[in-house]
Amino acid sequence: MKKIVLPSLLIISCLVWAACSNTKYLKPGQTLYTGAEVKINPDSSSKIADEKNVKSDLESKTRPAPNKTILGLRPKLYIYNLAGEPKKPKGIRHWLRTKVGEPPVLLSDVKLKSNNAILTSYLISQGYLQSVVTGDTIVKNRSAKAVYTAETGTRYKINNITFPKDTGNLANIVNQNKGKTLLKKGDFYNLEVFKNERIRIDNDLKENGYFYFSPDYLILQVDSTIGKSQVNITVKVKDIAPDAGLKPYTIKEIKIYPNYSLRRDSVLRKLQPIEYNDFEIYDDKKTFKPRLFDRLVFFKKGETYNRKDHNQSLNRMVNINAFQAVKAEFLPVDSFKNNQLDLNIYLTPLKKNSLSFAVTGTSKSNNFVGSEVKVTQTTRNLFRGAEQLDVSVGGGFETQVSGQAQNLNSYSFTAQGKLTFPRFIVPFYKPSSTTAFIPKTIASLSYELLSRGSLYDLSSFKAEYGYLWKENLYKEHTFNPISLTYVRPGIKTKDTAGLYAANPGLKNILDRQFIIGSSYNFTYTNQMEDARRNNIYFNGNIQTGGNVWGLFVPKNSEGDKSIFNVPLTQFIRLETDLRDYYKINRNVIWANRLNLGYGYAYGNSTSMPFVKQFFAGGTNDIRGFASRSLGPGTFKVPDTVQFADQSGDIKIMLNTELRFKLVSVLYGALFADAGNVWLRKEDPLRPGSGFKLNNALSQMAVSTGAGLRVDAKIFVVRLDVAFPIRKPYLPEGQRWVIDQVAFGDKTWRKENLVYNIGIGYPF
């Protein structure tokens, strides 16, 4: 008992000392401010709806905010006091006091009258029109808190809404769209809704040419004298609204400066413009083809101004990735005397050529460490239509620092050329796109060489032609009508049979393969909406090989369709990735992922090509198992295998991760991963590799662990430590190994702990 009580008393004493010790640094007459408390209708038996949230909102609006606390302590204030007054404006003492520490917030900083007014104003904005807030302070032992008492009264509701009488074009537009009003009879009075209603009306008017109208020209008159805690609202245009804001405008001239700079401003304006459709183009260097602007500028001469065309034009000019500066200037003709606008568009191109260089360090869960170097040359506006050519070459190496393949090196070389056209290019058809996002046609050609030490080489050639377009802010599509891949292996050892026997499944990797097919990818996400408490991400992908294109491939003497004496691979591959991000509070997120994949080989093929199969284990997968080491099914790759490239036709994976902020840019995570891969048909050389629906759950691998992330917004560096708690390759009834976890055992740590270093979040 003594061994328990003494440490407990010591800890409590330390906590009390740390909590109180900050006040001893205060000067005579100073009192430490510890925060605010709000009491709502304390002398009334009636309760308001959602009182807890209202109380929290009011407390968050009081100023100043007290010193930050952790478990009731103020470590930042304590560091400030402990550092003392620095003698010079640099050094560890100055850094601790000014960067890490936090000066004391004093009671003298609290302005009760100002806070009373702020809290009363907030309650009125929420419909408590008769509310009154009074504040006081409570001082004890050189520390004090503020207590605010809010008498709210009854919350008012909307009884009736009246819009401007239909006496003119502007009022007519407002009335035509009043069915979309945010003001609803029976709703509570809410000032934020009133503001949004003014913005809604302004948007409707902007769509109808009222370029100079502003939400500030509207007033919502509230009559709260009708009784029964209700209000009538009248929407009116202010009498002081300027004439320019009360009439619609049309577009007169559209002038485009595609190669604009301030230095050449006066020269450009004196040029004889190129007349093209409705545009006057001032470009003596003929930087861009005039037809490009048909896809970038949605305005036409003589048409009424509207905000949709305005926003879509700006978005397209920004997203085309050809300009470093974009400006659209609308100028009134004859200083507001008529209802016409001139549109001037100023575009400053990006540099035609740029070179980027990247070095990446890698550390994988299969004990491989290495580095990759990549150089990319970008050429913009290649054919004067804002096209972009990217040519990149890269090389890397990996070496295994422990395990069966210790000191075994792996090398890679990649080369790629990618040409992007900012439009749809479809034979015999000219599609049009009217969204704010630029559709793209992409043609690419790539080569990759992978050398697995003294075992084998893999050379792959790939050519692809397809389209990428965004339907809206949330939905993106990628369609590649044709994709060709040729994989050529090279076995370095003469003992091929021995190599296959020692590495089950390797023969599938080292088959020559020719894949000609199509693919479609759909992505939906609302992650850009930070105000949402729950965000989702969905990606669906379908790939086919040897389907429609296979109809044009002849058969060889054995009756198989082949190209260059290589059998044509025929398959269908489906994959979905669903993610959910739930914000428990501002600093805690619960992230979940479900990843499913299914591949079906037919015709010429008895199994999926290796490059299209699924893998399990690794940094972004099931983190308690080495990369690509899991499966298929209950099969376990022998420990003597140097490269455990195990794959499957079917994949099921689930991940859950709790992410929380620790301090500044440092975040922590607790996670669990589960899943496996299987073959659609069992491989006799890999017993237990076949998929059976009734056995899938019992063959799932499970791992868990914790991690640290440095999240600097522009990049994320991640370190995860994971270990298995369920091993599918063990006999049934023995697969759960939670009871064997022993962090203090060196042998257990060596055999089970897996360290993952990654860039970015795992999902």
Side-chain angles (χ1 to χ4, degrees), residues 256 276-279 281 289-300 316 430 433:
I256 302 175
Y276 177 78
N277 291 344
D278 289 330
F279 309 137
I281 303 172
K289 292 177 180 177
R291 67 182 183 185
L292 170 67
F293 301 106
D294 280 335
R295 301 192 300 273
L296 300 184
V297 181
F298 287 84
F299 286 107
K300 304 295 180 185
R316 285 215 163 186
K430 188 178 181 180
S433 173

Side-chain angles (χ1 to χ4, degrees), residues 400-540:
Q400 195 162 17
V401 294
S402 63
Q404 293 295 327
Q406 187 171 353
N407 299 321
L408 184 63
N409 298 324
S410 175
Y411 303 92
S412 66
F413 170 79
T414 59
Q416 183 187 49
K418 183 174 73 171
L419 181 58
T420 303
F421 299 88
R423 61 187 182 277
F424 285 123
I425 301 177
V426 182
F428 315 113
Y429 179 63
K430 188 178 181 180
S432 61
S433 173
T434 58
T435 69
F437 302 96
I438 292 284
K440 297 178 181 178
T441 300
I442 302 172
S444 64
L445 186 66
S446 63
Y447 167 76
E448 181 177 6
L449 170 66
L450 175 64
S451 176
R452 289 298 204 186
S454 60
L455 298 180
Y456 60 87
D457 292 338
L458 277 179
S459 296
S460 64
F461 304 83
K462 185 175 183 180
E464 201 164 56
Y465 183 88
Y467 311 100
L468 184 150
W469 72 98
K470 294 194 72 168
E471 182 180 340
N472 52 43
L473 189 62
Y474 308 95
K475 301 175 184 178
E476 182 176 276
H477 307 262
T478 304
F479 173 52
N480 295 308
I482 183 166
S483 176
L484 297 93
T485 304
Y486 174 61
V487 180
R488 187 181 67 190
I491 303 174
K492 296 181 179 180
T493 179
K494 294 181 179 180
D495 185 11
T496 306
L499 179 65
Y500 290 158
N503 298 269
L506 186 60
K507 188 177 186 306
N508 186 36
I509 300 175
L510 299 181
D511 281 340
R512 279 201 304 166
Q513 296 167 350
F514 196 102
I515 305 169
I516 177 170
S518 308
S519 66
Y520 170 73
N521 190 84
F522 171 75
T523 301
Y524 173 87
T525 181
N526 58 19
Q527 290 176 273
M528 71 293 293
E529 297 183 357
D530 291 333
R532 280 181 175 268
R533 188 160 192 178
N534 200 67
N535 295 100
I536 63 171
Y537 167 93
F538 172 79
N539 179 267

Side-chain angles (χ1 to χ4, degrees), residues 77-96:
L77 174 58
Y78 184 70
I79 291 171
Y80 176 91
N81 290 325
L82 195 64
E85 190 67 38
K87 296 181 180 179
K88 49 187 178 180
K90 59 182 179 179
I92 186 67
R93 184 187 292 271
H94 181 269
W95 179 77
L96 285 172

Side-chain angles (χ1 to χ4, degrees), residues 176-301:
Q176 283 178 354
N177 293 283
K178 67 182 181 181
K180 300 184 294 183
T181 181
L182 305 177
L183 305 173
K184 306 295 182 184
K185 186 175 181 178
D187 283 0
F188 286 116
Y189 175 110
N190 190 314
L191 187 59
E192 193 64 30
V193 175
F194 294 176
K195 292 178 181 178
N196 290 334
E197 174 67 4
R198 294 200 310 171
I199 293 172
R200 182 196 67 80
I201 295 173
D202 177 66
N203 285 335
D204 288 338
L205 291 171
K206 288 290 196 299
E207 286 299 313
N208 287 273
Y210 289 81
F211 180 80
Y212 289 104
F213 194 85
S214 167
D216 292 335
Y217 300 162
L218 291 167
I219 184 171
L220 275 68
Q221 295 178 334
V222 177
D223 181 4
S224 61
T225 64
I226 62 175
K228 297 182 181 180
S229 298
Q230 292 185 326
V231 298
N232 287 336
I233 298 174
T234 302
V235 181
K236 292 182 63 178
V237 178
K238 292 180 180 178
D239 295 334
I240 60 172
D243 291 339
L246 303 180
K247 60 183 180 180
Y249 285 79
T250 58
I251 304 298
K252 184 180 181 183
E253 302 289 345
I254 302 173
K255 300 177 182 179
I256 302 175
Y257 299 84
N259 197 6
Y260 181 80
S261 67
L262 284 174
R263 182 176 55 83
R264 301 184 68 231
D265 181 84
S266 58
V267 175
L268 289 171
R269 294 180 188 275
K270 295 176 182 178
L271 293 175
Q272 181 67 30
I274 299 170
E275 301 283 346
Y276 177 78
N277 291 344
D278 289 330
F279 309 137
E280 296 177 11
I281 303 172
Y282 294 78
D283 184 13
D284 55 337
K285 297 182 179 180
K286 297 182 179 180
T287 314
F288 296 92
K289 292 177 180 177
R291 67 182 183 185
L292 170 67
F293 301 106
D294 280 335
R295 301 192 300 273
L296 300 184
V297 181
F298 287 84
F299 286 107
K300 304 295 180 185
K301 279 186 179 181

Side-chain angles (χ1 to χ4, degrees), residues 34 97 131 149 219 235 254 357 434 460 462 478 487 572 583 592 615 631 646 665 681 737:
T34 59
R97 190 171 174 91
S131 61
T149 302
I219 184 171
V235 181
I254 302 173
F357 180 78
T434 58
S460 64
K462 185 175 183 180
T478 304
V487 180
I572 296 176
K583 299 171 186 173
N592 295 277
F615 305 90
Q646 297 303 302
V665 297
K681 295 180 180 180
V737 292

Side-chain angles (χ1 to χ4, degrees), residues 13-145:
S13 300
C14 289
L15 292 175
V16 172
W17 176 83
C20 300
S21 61
N22 282 311
T23 58
K24 74 177 184 180
Y25 294 96
L26 297 173
K27 296 177 181 179
Q30 289 184 332
T31 304
L32 184 67
Y33 175 62
T34 59
E37 178 187 354
V38 174
K39 296 180 180 180
I40 298 178
N41 301 328
D43 300 324
S44 174
S45 59
S46 61
K47 299 289 184 181
I48 66 172
D50 205 17
E51 181 174 318
K52 184 178 179 181
N53 286 334
V54 174
K55 182 176 183 294
S56 177
D57 288 342
L58 290 172
E59 289 176 350
S60 69
K61 294 182 182 302
T62 60
R63 295 292 182 270
N67 293 107
K68 294 181 177 65
T69 61
I70 298 177
L71 300 176
L73 307 180
R74 297 177 178 81
K76 293 175 75 69
L77 174 58
Y78 184 70
I79 291 171
Y80 176 91
N81 290 325
L82 195 64
E85 190 67 38
K87 296 181 180 179
K88 49 187 178 180
K90 59 182 179 179
I92 186 67
R93 184 187 292 271
H94 181 269
W95 179 77
L96 285 172
R97 190 171 174 91
T98 60
K99 300 298 182 182
V100 181
E102 184 180 70
V105 180
L106 304 175
L107 180 62
S108 59
D109 299 325
V110 180
K111 304 295 186 269
L112 289 179
K113 288 185 178 180
S114 175
N115 282 331
N116 290 343
I118 291 172
L119 300 190
T120 301
S121 177
Y122 174 75
L123 286 171
I124 291 174
S125 75
Q126 298 300 300
Y128 299 100
L129 303 186
Q130 305 299 325
S131 61
V132 177
V133 178
T134 56
D136 202 353
T137 57
I138 298 176
V139 182
K140 183 178 180 181
N141 296 329
R142 302 195 71 184
S143 64
K145 71 175 182 177

Side-chain angles (χ1 to χ4, degrees), residues 659-670:
R659 301 169 182 170
F660 46 88
K661 184 174 183 177
L662 295 175
V663 61
S664 184
V665 297
L666 184 63
Y667 291 75
L670 300 173

